[in-house]
Amino acid sequence: MARTRVLTPEEIPAASKQTLDAFTKNIGFTPNMMAAFAQSPIAFNAWAALLGSLSKTLDVKTRDSIGLAVSEVNGCNYCLTVHSFTAEHMAKLPADDIILARKGHAHDPKRDAAVQFARKVIVTRGQVSDADLKAVRDAGYTDANVMEIVALVAMYSLTNFFNNVFDPDKDFPAVAPAGAL
C-alpha cells in the first residue's frame, strides 16, 4: 500500500504541473510515482531535468539495462516493473536480455561492460577499482561516457529510493523476484 498520496490532477502544485503534463502526454497516462513525486516541485523538476538530459546519452538499450541492474541491486520493485516494461516495449530487448540486465550483464559485449560497471558503482558505492575503470574504457567508453553511466546510476537510485520509501501502487505488470530468475 502506498505510503504517500498520489495527487489528483487538481492537486498538482502549479510548479510541477507543466513537467507532469509533459510526461503524461508523452507516456499516455500519469504514472503513480510521478503523481506522488510532483508534491515537491523542487525535487520533481530536478529529477525530470536530469532524466531529460541523460536520455540523450548512450543508447536506449544500454540506459534501460543500467536501470534494470541498478533497480535490482536497490530492491526497487516499482522501478523493476517500469524498466522491464520499457526495456521490452521501447528498447525492444528480448526477455532473456531483460533478465540478464537485472543480473548486471548483457549479451552485447559493449553494453555488458557498461552494465557491469554500473552495477559495480552501486554495489561499491562508487568505490570501483582501477580494473573496473579499465574494463569499461577498454570496451570503448570515453571518460565522458563513464561519467554519464555514473550519473545514470545516481538518477536511477534516486527513483529507486523514492519508490522504496513511498511505495506507490505499481502501474506496470509485476515481475518475478530476482530469486526466481
Side-chain angles (χ1 to χ4, degrees):
M1 183 171 171
R3 294 163 76 183
T4 191
R5 290 186 53 244
V6 172
L7 301 181
T8 65
E10 300 78 36
E11 297 173 309
I12 300 297
S16 293
K17 189 158 179 35
Q18 182 177 359
T19 302
L20 187 61
D21 287 350
F23 276 116
T24 300
K25 182 179 178 185
N26 189 39
I27 298 170
F29 74 101
T30 303
N32 290 325
M33 178 276 257
M34 291 183 190
F37 206 172
Q39 291 180 64
S40 170
I42 293 169
F44 179 64
N45 288 320
W47 167 79
L50 184 60
L51 175 66
S53 293
L54 292 176
S55 70
K56 298 172 187 137
T57 187
L58 307 174
D59 61 274
V60 68
K61 289 181 181 188
T62 302
R63 289 192 311 269
D64 272 341
S65 294
I66 290 169
L68 286 161
V70 170
S71 297
E72 188 71 42
V73 170
N74 286 328
C76 183
N77 291 323
Y78 185 97
C79 290
L80 284 170
T81 68
V82 172
H83 293 299
S84 294
F85 183 88
T86 60
E88 178 184 355
H89 294 94
M90 297 167 110
K92 304 297 184 197
L93 283 173
D96 62 326
D97 282 4
I98 293 170
I99 292 168
L100 201 55
R102 289 179 64 186
K103 294 179 179 182
H105 290 283
H107 285 111
D108 175 80
K110 186 172 182 180
R111 188 174 342 122
D112 186 55
V115 175
Q116 282 189 53
F117 183 76
R119 188 176 190 291
K120 286 182 181 175
V121 168
I122 193 66
V123 167
T124 67
R125 296 182 175 137
Q127 300 292 322
V128 297
S129 69
D130 290 344
D132 295 330
L133 264 175
K134 181 179 181 337
V136 74
R137 288 172 174 155
D138 286 351
Y141 291 99
T142 65
D143 281 354
N145 295 143
V146 173
M147 291 171 195
E148 293 157 356
I149 292 167
V150 172
L152 284 164
V153 169
M155 182 199 59
Y156 290 131
S157 292
L158 172 60
T159 56
N160 293 165
F161 297 162
F162 176 88
N163 290 311
N164 284 343
V165 168
F166 294 109
D167 195 27
D169 291 335
K170 291 164 192 62
D171 304 292
F172 297 93
V175 296
L181 296 177

